[in-house]
Amino acid sequence: MTMISEKPLGTILIVDDVLDNLRLLSHILTEHGYHVRSAKNGTEALVTVKNSLPDLILLDIKLPDLNGYEVCKKLKADDVSKEIPVIFLSVLDSTSDKLKGFQAGGVDYITKPFYPEEVLMRIQTHLNISRMQKQLEHQADWLRTSEQNYRNKNEELMKLNVEKDKFFSILAHDLRSPFNSFLGLTKMLVEGTPSLTQDKIQKIAESMRKSATNLYGLLENLLEWSSLQTGIKTFNPASVKLHERISETMASIREMASRKGIDINYNIPEDLVVYADENMLGSIIRNLSSNAVKFTHRGGNVIITVNPNSNGYVEISFRDTGVGMHREMVENLFKLDIDTSRKGTDNEPSTGLGIILCKEFVEKHGGKLWVESEEGKGSTFYFTLPAKASN
């Protein structure tokens, strides 16, 4: 009674130099639903396996070229074929012969003459074990992938939570102080107008303008950072003349600097070009220059320099003669979950968000941002931008 199934139970490679053995085993296995391939020596067997992997190999030991042990060792040394179960089938029946078979990498050993039922049972058993191992490996891979995906999602959620906390912290604390100052000045102006001198009104108006400028800077950073995190902010790099962009931004910064008697100096070639998003570049320049002014004492200096390097990037630096930072603050400066905010030398508010925003904008261009600082002597912020579009 034939038991050939529509779909083969598996592909078996029989390696034997005796033609009668090949015919008998092929007949038995084919009758029970297996797809059979054969090889008459070790070399032919290795070529056959290389061309198409079988599910299991029945391997004789006494072959005309390579013996069965050598064939098995070669199969197990190859990453492609090492997982194929090999059952030795031989007239050699001593314990040492069997041990050599297992040491070579075989999963089983059947002696000749054999019983067809035994051969079929052992083939089925080792095919089931092999398939279960593959299923377990697939499940293990799936679990590893799932675990990594879970970790990635968890890290994203933690990052979002940190960003949310920073956002609400700025809303709850950092914006409150300048708003209270602004409201106090307006109250003083409203309630005291009849008795205020023109000079006093002028001073209050100047203070109000200063508070409004600080508020505007904080809100602008907050909105830019928020739009970056939510993916709203677009990225459109183009060739930008650096001297022109810095000069435009300095128009508003110089007013802030002049109130503290701080000189801002730069000497940048007018034809020097960087490949950058103009709005992001403006934000980087604005934040680094205002930060330098904010933490520099009255009468200090801010110097902007550029240095095109051989790697196709332009290095830009903002150096101040301000209060500087200690090593721990420098190390934590770009960490959103650690508060490094402090007031400027004229009590200007600061959230620390502007520097983090600069770093994200610079990295968006493929550049780097870093800082060198010495407490009591000042800081220098460096960043790089591509000189032209990458190919």
Side-chain angles (χ1 to χ4, degrees):
M1 177 181 176
T2 59
M3 297 179 63
I4 300 175
S5 59
E6 293 182 4
K7 183 179 180 181
L9 298 176
T11 298
I12 311 298
L13 172 62
I14 306 170
V15 187
D16 201 313
D17 61 329
V18 179
L19 188 58
D20 288 341
N21 288 340
L22 287 176
R23 286 172 178 169
L24 176 59
L25 284 167
S26 295
H27 176 73
I28 293 170
L29 295 176
T30 303
E31 285 286 302
H32 285 79
Y34 293 99
H35 176 66
V36 176
R37 286 162 36 212
S38 62
K40 295 185 289 294
N41 56 60
T43 303
E44 186 181 343
L46 293 173
V47 172
T48 302
V49 170
K50 187 175 182 180
N51 290 335
S52 179
L53 296 179
D55 296 306
L56 184 142
I57 299 173
L58 288 176
L59 181 59
D60 190 18
I61 294 174
K62 298 176 71 175
L63 297 170
D65 52 357
L66 301 171
N67 65 48
Y69 302 131
E70 292 172 321
V71 174
C72 189
K73 287 178 181 178
K74 288 181 179 293
L75 291 169
K76 297 303 173 181
D78 191 331
D79 288 338
V80 176
S81 59
K82 67 181 182 180
E83 301 298 333
I84 302 172
V86 175
I87 299 177
F88 285 101
L89 193 61
S90 177
V91 294
L92 302 175
D93 60 355
S94 70
T95 301
S96 62
D97 291 323
K98 294 177 182 180
L99 286 174
K100 284 176 68 176
F102 288 116
Q103 289 168 353
V107 296
D108 211 336
Y109 196 106
I110 303 172
T111 56
K112 298 176 183 178
F114 55 81
Y115 293 99
E117 293 80 5
E118 180 187 4
V119 174
L120 289 169
M121 186 59 69
R122 296 203 186 197
I123 288 174
Q124 182 181 345
T125 298
H126 288 293
L127 283 177
N128 287 339
I129 292 172
S130 178
R131 285 164 183 158
M132 288 175 64
Q133 287 176 334
K134 289 177 181 177
Q135 288 176 359
L136 288 172
E137 288 170 5
H138 287 315
Q139 290 175 351
D141 288 340
W142 180 85
L143 286 171
R144 281 191 289 268
T145 302
S146 298
E147 183 181 10
Q148 188 58 50
N149 289 338
Y150 171 79
R151 287 179 180 174
N152 292 342
K153 291 292 182 184
N154 194 45
E155 288 174 3
E156 288 176 14
L157 287 172
M158 290 176 66
K159 183 173 180 288
L160 287 172
N161 197 46
V162 169
E163 291 168 354
K164 179 205 68 176
D165 290 344
K166 183 69 174 180
F167 185 85
F168 286 118
S169 172
I170 293 169
L171 289 179
H173 302 104
D174 297 297
L175 290 179
R176 179 179 294 174
S177 178
F179 263 120
N180 286 339
S181 175
F182 189 82
L183 290 172
L185 289 167
T186 57
K187 182 179 180 181
M188 186 187 302
L189 191 61
V190 170
E191 294 179 353
T193 298
S195 59
L196 293 174
T197 64
Q198 190 64 35
D199 287 344
K200 187 66 174 176
I201 292 172
Q202 180 67 28
K203 287 182 179 180
I204 292 174
E206 288 175 359
S207 296
M208 288 176 66
R209 178 175 174 79
K210 179 181 174 183
S211 292
T213 301
N214 290 332
L215 273 172
Y216 179 78
L218 288 172
L219 285 171
E220 192 168 21
N221 277 341
L222 194 61
L223 290 172
E224 284 189 336
W225 176 73
S226 177
S227 64
L228 184 67
Q229 302 307 314
T230 55
I232 297 173
K233 195 168 187 67
T234 58
F235 179 61
N236 298 307
S239 293
V240 180
K241 288 186 176 180
L242 190 57
H243 182 278
E244 187 176 304
R245 195 70 186 91
I246 288 178
S247 296
E248 289 172 359
T249 308
M250 285 303 114
S252 60
I253 302 299
R254 284 193 187 281
E255 182 181 347
M256 173 183 170
S258 65
R259 290 198 298 267
K260 298 175 73 172
I262 294 172
D263 288 329
I264 299 177
N265 298 298
Y266 58 90
N267 184 17
I268 301 169
E270 293 189 6
D271 60 347
L272 183 63
V273 170
V274 293
Y275 190 72
D277 180 290
E278 193 164 0
N279 291 327
M280 289 187 182
L281 176 58
S283 180
I284 295 167
I285 296 168
R286 174 174 57 80
N287 273 291
L288 292 181
S289 55
S290 65
N291 192 71
V293 170
K294 188 182 300 181
F295 293 104
T296 296
H297 293 291
R298 292 178 175 274
N301 295 286
V302 174
I303 301 172
I304 305 170
T305 58
V306 297
N307 179 33
N309 61 37
S310 59
N311 297 324
Y313 280 76
V314 176
E315 182 185 285
I316 306 157
S317 66
F318 287 72
R319 179 167 64 87
D320 64 61
T321 57
V323 296
M325 295 176 283
H326 54 76
R327 188 177 65 180
E328 185 179 356
M329 177 173 282
V330 171
E331 290 174 352
N332 296 324
L333 194 62
F334 302 109
K335 297 177 182 177
L336 194 60
D337 56 339
I338 298 179
D339 185 11
T340 57
S341 62
R342 55 179 178 170
K343 290 188 179 298
T345 57
D346 212 17
N347 280 326
E348 301 98 324
S350 173
T351 64
L353 185 61
I355 296 299
I356 294 173
L357 190 68
C358 287
K359 187 173 187 292
E360 293 198 25
F361 281 171
V362 168
E363 290 176 352
K364 186 80 172 174
H365 290 80
K368 295 180 181 180
L369 186 148
W370 68 100
V371 59
E372 294 175 357
S373 187
E374 187 175 349
E375 196 168 12
K377 292 188 177 181
S379 303
T380 303
F381 282 84
Y382 301 87
F383 69 96
T384 57
L385 290 174
K388 57 183 179 181
S390 58
N391 295 329

